[in-house]
Amino acid sequence: MAAFGILSYEHRPLKRPRLGPPDVYPQDPKQKEDELTALNVKQGFNNQPAVSGDEHGSAKNVNFNPSKISSNFSSIIAEKLRCNTFADTGKRKPQVNQKDNFWLVTARSQSSINNWFTDLAGTKPLTQLAKKVPIFSKKEEVFGYLAKYCVPVMRSAWMIKMTCAYHAAITETKVKKRHVIDPCIEWTQIITKYLWEQLQKVAEFYRQSPSQGCGSPLPAPPAEVETAMKQWEYHEKLAMFMFQDGMLDRHEFLTWVLECFEKIRPGEDELLRFLLPLLLQVRAKVREIEEQIKERGQAVEFRWSFDKCQETTAGFTISRVLHTLEVLDNHSFEKSDFSNSLDSLYNRIFGSGQSKDGHEMSPDDDAVVTLLCEWAVSCKRSGPHRAMVVAKLLEKRQTEIEAERCGESEVVDEKGSVSSGSLSAATLPVFQDVLLQFLDTQAPVLTEPGNESERVEFSNLVLLFCELIRHDVFSHNIYMCTLISRGDLASDSHLPRPRSPSDEPSDESERKEQDAGSSVKMEARSFLSQSQCSGKWSESKNTAKDKGMDPAFPLVYEQPRHIQYATHFPIPQEESASHECNQRLVVLYGVGKQRDEARHAIKKITKDILKVLNRKSTAETGGEEGQKRKRSKPEAFPTAEDIFSKFQHLSHFDQHQVTSQVSRNVMEQIASFALGMSYHLPLVQHIQFIFDLMEYSLNISGLIDFAIQLLNELSLVEAELLLKSSNLAGSYTTGLCLCIVAVLRRYHSCLILNPDQTAQVFDGLRIVVKSGVNPADCSSAERCILAYLYDLYTSCSHLKSKFGEIFSEFCSKVKNSIYYNIDPSDSNMLWEQMFMIDAIANPTAHNLNHSMVGKILNDSPANRYSFVCNVLMDVCVDHRDPERVNDIGILCAELTAYCRSLSAEWLGVLKALCCSSNNGNCGFNDLLCNVDVSDLSFHDSLATFVAILIARQCLLLEDLVRCVAIPSLLNAACSEQDSESGARLTCRILLHLFRTPQRNPCPQDGTKSVGIRSSCDRHLLAASQNSIVVGAVFAVLKAVFMLGDAELKGSGFSHSAGLDDIGEDDMGSKKSGGRNVSIETASLVVYAKYVLKSICQQEWVGERCLKSLSEDSSALQDPVLVNIQAQRLLQLICYPHRQLDSEEGENPQRQRIKRILQNMDQWTMRQSSLELQLMIKQSSNNVSRSVFELYSLLENIAKATIEVFQKSAEMNSSNPTWNGSAVSSSSVSNSNSASKLKPVLSSSERSGVWLVAPLIGKLPTSVQGHVLKAAGEELEKGQHLGPSSRKERDRQKQKSMSLLSQQPFLSLVLTCLKGQDEQREGLLTSLYSQVQQIVTNWREDQYQDDCKAKQMMHEALKLRLNLVGGMFDTVQRSTQQTTEWAVLLLDIISSGTVDMQSNNELFTTVLDMLSVLINGTLAADMSSISQGSMEENKRAYMNLVKKLRKELGDRQSESLEKVRQLLPLPKQTRDVITCEPQGSLIDTKGNKIAGFEKEGLQVSTKQKISPWDVFEGLKHSAPLSWGWFGSVRVDRKVTKYEEQQRLLLYHTHIKPKPRSYYLAPLNLPQEEEEPPTPVPPEPDKKVDPGKPEKSASSVDYKPHNPVLQYTPGMAPDLMMNQSNMPFRMGYPTPMNMYAQNQPLPPGQCMPFNLFSF
C-alpha cells in the first residue's frame, strides 16, 4: 500500500488503456492554450504562471495571503460539494420496481400467499415484506384475504398502498399520456362497493327469513351470510382507519354512509345494527344543533329579511294575513259553483299556507285563525254569513288535522300500542287555545253604552262563538273550566253580579218613564244588536237619561270581559249540554234565589209567548181575530210589545233558550195539524213574530232550521186544509211560505253554505208552487217564491246538476216573466176617478178576487191608467197614514202579480212625478195637475209605496234607476227649469230604496212609523238591493254627486254649505245658532249631499262598490266627472263616516297621499289601493299633460312613502312602546295570566308602515321604481361610516339609521325590487361598496374603541345584508357577482368585522349567505338541465372553492373553522415542518435573499404529503426532500480507515509463508474483486466490483460553520425523538439508523440531527 501511494502519475497504469500513453499535462476544455486570439496567432501562447520566478522552484520567497488561500480552498470545497451533490427528490412520488418488489398471485402460489399474509398479520417487519408483495388480478380481492387473516388495520392499509403503487406503476408504463387517478376516490369507490355487496348479502337473508314474533330468535344464518357479516365487521373498521388516515375521499365516503341508511327498507331493522355504529360516528352532533338548524333554515327561507324583535316573523305573517283578507273580500258569498265555493275558499286560505307537519300549528296559522275571527266580528265588514263561514272553515281544517293525527295513531295501533279510537270528542279542540287567546286579547267587550260599533261587534262575537260551539270548534265546557281555574269568573265585591232577567226597574218614576216613553224607546231599541250592522238607530233623550244603559245588555258594561262572554255565549239546547247550562247558571248566579229567578224569568217569557200562539184564533174560520184583537186582557194575553220588552232584557243565551223552546212548540202544533190530530194552526203573523225574535236573538242557524222544517210541512198542511175544505186553503201556506222565503232571502249567504239544506229548500219551494203555476198569472207571494227559486237555481251549480231536467225550462219562463226590463208608460187616457175606489179605500178586505181584478186591468189600458192615478192620489193626497200606505202597497203588489202591464204604468207614473219638469212629455197629466210635487209631506209615503212594489217583484230597482232616477237627477244637475222638486222627490225615493230597512220586530199600536211595516217586506227589499247590478249603483252615486256639486263647479266636495249642520237622521232636526235646521228644508244641493252620504254609508253599497272597483276601477273614470270629483266620490265610497280631506297646504297631493298611507290599516288597505290607483290612471289618461303629471305623482308617492317611514321611525325612537300592543285596563280580564297575553299580531303590525310594502306591491311597476329610487337615496345617506367626528356622525346618521332599522322599510325595498332588474343591479353595486367600506373601516381600527359605533356598524351591516338577501336570486344568476359577494362575505369574517363572540346572530347570517352562494353554484335549473350546464356549474363551483381557499390560507380562528366547513372536505395529508438557515430573508416575490444567513436553522414552512405517497418499509426518501431538513445528499468517498476496517471484518488467518513468497513479485489480476458486503445492494443500483471507492454514498451536512461537525455518537432513538417529522405512532421508521462503528451499505444516507448544534 505504501508503494502504491508513492507512484507518480507517469508510471501509474490506466485501468482501461484505450487512450494510449498518459499525458503528463492533461487537457481541459476551454483552456487558454486553445484560444486563437490575435496575439496568440502572432506571438504564440505565452504562459504566465501565477507565481513569478523560477517555474520549477519552491517559491519559498513568494508572499501569499493566508485569507486568499483560505477563500480559494473554501471555494474549492464548495464546488466539490456542489459537483458531488445528488439532485433533490423534492415532492416526487416514490418509485417502485414492479418487477422486483411484486409478484402476481396464481393458483399455484396459494401456500406462498398463506405464508405471506400470515407474516403480514404477525410481526414481521414491513421492510422484509416489501421485497415481494403479492398482487391480485382484481383489486378488491385483497379485502377477502385481509379479513380472512385478521390483519391489523394499519398493516392492511400498508398492503392497500403497495397494491395501489403497483397498479399506478403499471399504468404509467402502459399509457404515455397518463391520466392521473386519485387513489383516494378510486379506493373509496372500491371499498364502499365491497361493503355494499356484503350488506346486501346480509339484507337478502333477512328479507327471505319469515317475520317472527316479538322476542323470538332469528334462524341461524348460513355460512355465506356469516362470512359476509365478518367481512362487514372487519372492513368497517378498515374503512374508518383509512378515513381517519386520509386515504379515503371523506365527502364521498360520508355520502355513501347516508345513502346506505336511506336505502334501508321497512322491516329491515336488523340492518341498523350494522349501519348505526358507522352512522353515529359521523352524525354525533346533529341532534345537539337541531334547533339551530331549524332557526337558520327558516332565516334562509325568508332570505334573512327578519327582525330579531319579531319572533313570529311579522313580515311573512302579515303577508299571509293580508292574502287571507284579500281572498275573503274577493269571494262572492251569494253564489256557489266550482270556482266559488266553500271548498275553493278553504283551499285559497289554507291550501298554500300549511306547514310540513299538517297538525302542527305555526304562528302564521294562528294569525290566519285570528284574522278569520276578526273578520267575522269587525264592523268594517258586513254580513251574518261571516260567522258561519269561519266556523265551517275551521271545522274543515280541524277535521283534516285530526284525520292526520288519527292516521299517526293507527300506525301506533299496528305495533300494539294505544287504540286509534282514543281521540274522543272530549279532547281539546285544535283551535281552542287560539280562540281563547283571541277572547283574552282582541275580542270586543262592552265598555261604553253609547258606542254603537262596540255594541255591533259584541253581537257579532256572540254570533261567531255560537257557530263555533255548534260546529265543535270551540268547547264551551273547556272554556268555562279554564275560566274557573284561572279565576276569571270570580266576581269582585264592588262589582254586581249579572242582572237577573226578572229584575224590573224598582223606581216608580223609572217605571212610569218607561211606560210613558215606550213608543219612542221601542223604536230606538229595535234590533240594536244585529250582526249585520243594520242602519243607525238613535236613542231618545228619555232613553239616554235612563242610566245610559242599553236594554239589550243591562248592567253588563261594568263586568269583566269573560263574565260578559259567559253571560251571552249561547249553548246548543240539547240534552247533552245540560251540564254546561247548569254550570253556567251556578257560575253566574250562584245556587240561591238569583238562579231561581233567572230560571223563572225565562219560563215566564216562554209561557207568555205560548199563550199568544195557543189562542184559538186560527182554525178553518180564518185568522183575522188574532190580528185585530185589542189588548183587552193584558194579564191573560200579553201583547207582542210586552213580550218583546221583556225579551230584549234577556241575554243572548236566554234568548236562544226561549226561541228554541217556542219554535219546537210551533212545529208540534203544525205537525199535529198536518196529521189531522188538531184543528189549530198558529197565525202567520205569530210565526213571523217568532222569526223576528230569533233574528233579534242572533239564533240564525236555529232560524234557518226552523224555516226549513216549516217548509217541509207546508205541503201536508195544504193537503189537510183542502181535506177539511177550509177557507185558508191556498192562502195560508203561500202566506207562510212568503215569510219563509223572506227569511231565507235575508240569510241567503248563510243558506248556500250548506248544499243539502239548499237542495231541501229548493225542492220544498218547488212543491209549494207546484211548478205548474203561470209566472205571469199568480199571486204576489207565488211571484216572490218563483223569483227566489230562480235566484237559487242560478246561484248554485249543484242545484242545476240535480234539478236541471225538471226546472231548466220553467226557469226560463220565470226569467221572462219576472226578471225582464220594462220601459215606463206615458199614458194619458180618460181618468175614471171612481174606478176601484172601494178597494183602495179598504185595501185589507178579503172579499176582493185579485185574479179577476187583475184580468180586468189587463184587458183595459184605461182601467190601468185610472187605477194607477187613483192609487197615487190616495197615497199622495188623501191618506198618508203609514199603515194604510203599507196596505195599499201590498194590494197593488197582488194586482200587479196578476197583471204584468201594471209594472210599466207604475214606472211611468213615477217618471212623471220625478221628471215633472218635462212639460207633460212623460204622461199622467191628470195626476200631475192634482199632485204638487213640491209638497214634501207625501214623499215618505210615496217612497214606502215604491219600496213595497220593488220588494214584491213588481218593479226592478235597476229599471227605476235607469228610467226615473237618472233622468230626473241629470235634469236638475243641468239646472233645467222647475226640476228641483222632482229631483228632491227622486232623492227621497232613492234614500228609502238604498237605505237598509229598519228592523222592528214589534210595531207599536197607535204609532205612525215611517217605512215598511212587515219584516217580510223589509227582507224582500234588502234582497232586491243585493240583486241590483253594480252599474246602476254607480250611476246613482254619480248622478247624486253631480247634483250636489252643481253649485261648486268641481271645486271640491268637502266643505259644502250647511252640510255640517244636518243631523244623521233625515227626519230629525237640530238646533244650530238658535234655529231649527231640518234636512227637508235645506237647499237641493245640501240635501243631495246628505242623500249621497247616507247612501254611501249603507254597508251593502260600500261592499258592492269596493268589490267592483277592485276588479275594474274604470267605473269612476267617467267623462262627466273631472279628476277631483272622481277622487272625492271615491273617498265618499271608501270612507263614508270620515270627513273628506282638505286641499290646503303646500303640495296638497303629497299630503293627501301621506294621509292615505298613515291612516291605513288591514281593513282599509283595499280603499287606499283604490285611491292611489285612481290617481295614477287619471294622470296616465291625461293626454295633454300626462308625462309631467304622472312623473310628479310618482315622485309625490315615493317621497310621501319615505316621509311616512321617517315619521314612524321618529315615533319609535321617542316612544319605544309606541308599536307595542296595549290593552286597556277596562277590556282586560282581572287575571294576571290573561293580562300577560299578547295578540298574534300587534295593532301596529296590522296598520301603518307594515302595510305600506304590500300596498306599493299592488301598484304599477313605475311606482315601485320611483319608491325604490327614493329609498336608495335614503340608504346612501348611511354609506360613509367612517367617523370623522363622532357627534357629527351620530347626528347625520341617526335619522337614516332609525329609518333603516325598521323591518317594514326593508320589506318595502324588497317588494319594489321585484321585476326591477336595472334597479337591482345598481342597488347591489351600491350595497357592495357600502359593505366593503364597512370592512375597510374596521381594518383601519375605526370602531375598536367605541362600543356605540361598533353596535351601529353591526346594525348597518345587518340591514344591508338583509337587502342583499332579498336580491340573492340576482346575485346567484351571475357567476362574477357570486364570486365577488362570496369573497366579500368571507372577508367580513376573516377580518374580524363579525365573529361568533361579538355578534353571533349576524355571524350566522353571513355564514349562511356564504353557504348558499357556495352550494347554489352547483344547483342547476331543472327545467333546462343538461350535461353541459352541470359541467359548467361544477367548474364554477371548483373555481369559487379554489378562490375561497386561497383567501382563507392557513389563518386559524373559531369563526374561520366554521367557514372551512362550508368548503368540500379537503384531503387529509401529513404535515412536515421544514427548516431553513437562520436569518433567511424573502423578498416581495417570494425569493430568498442570500447573505443574511446565520448559524443554525429556523422553522420555515409546512409541507403537505399525501398518505398514499408515504411507504413504510422502503429505503427511498421520496417524497421527502433533504433540503426540508437543512441537509444534502452527496456521493460519499470511503476513507482508507473505513476501507481497512471493512477488510478486517472479512479477513481470515492463513499459515505463515516462507520469505521467498514475499520477495516474489505480486501476480495481480486485471481488476480487483470487491469483498461481499453483509447488506445487499439497492435494486436500482448495481455495484461495480472494479470501483470499490465509489460503491457507497453518504449524507453529509452542509455546515455553515466549518468548526461544527456531525456527532456520530448520537443515539438513534434520541435522533428520532428530536426530529420534527410527524409520523403516526406505530409506523416503521422511514430510514434506517446505524451506530458509529457500523458501516453503511451502499445507497444509504447518514441521518442528520437538527438539534446536534
Side-chain angles (χ1 to χ4, degrees), residues 293-306:
I293 292 174
K294 289 182 180 179
E295 294 176 1
R296 293 169 63 178
Q298 189 179 28
V300 174
E301 292 178 1
F302 296 151
R303 293 300 188 188
W304 303 279
S305 293
F306 64 94

Side-chain angles (χ1 to χ4, degrees), residues 1388-1407:
I1388 293 175
I1389 298 178
S1390 62
S1391 64
T1393 307
V1394 174
D1395 55 21
M1396 299 177 63
Q1397 288 74 26
S1398 62
N1399 195 329
N1400 185 63
E1401 181 184 3
L1402 186 56
F1403 171 77
T1404 56
T1405 299
V1406 177
L1407 189 66

Side-chain angles (χ1 to χ4, degrees), residues 185-203:
I185 298 178
E186 180 186 10
W187 282 92
T188 301
Q189 297 173 352
I190 294 174
I191 195 169
T192 53
K193 180 181 178 182
Y194 187 81
L195 285 171
W196 177 251
E197 291 174 355
Q198 309 309 313
L199 188 64
Q200 288 304 303
K201 294 178 183 179
V202 179

Side-chain angles (χ1 to χ4, degrees), residues 444-464:
V445 65
L446 296 173
T447 58
E448 300 178 6
N451 193 331
E452 174 66 16
S453 62
E454 182 182 89
R455 195 163 21 215
V456 170
E457 289 186 348
F458 186 84
S459 299
N460 292 341
L461 178 71
V462 174
L463 177 60
L464 170 64

Side-chain angles (χ1 to χ4, degrees), residues 766 793 799-810:
R766 186 181 57 85
Y793 185 79
L799 294 180
K800 294 181 182 179
S801 60
K802 187 174 183 179
F803 300 98
E805 296 181 359
I806 61 177
F807 193 76
S808 59
E809 183 178 355
F810 187 72

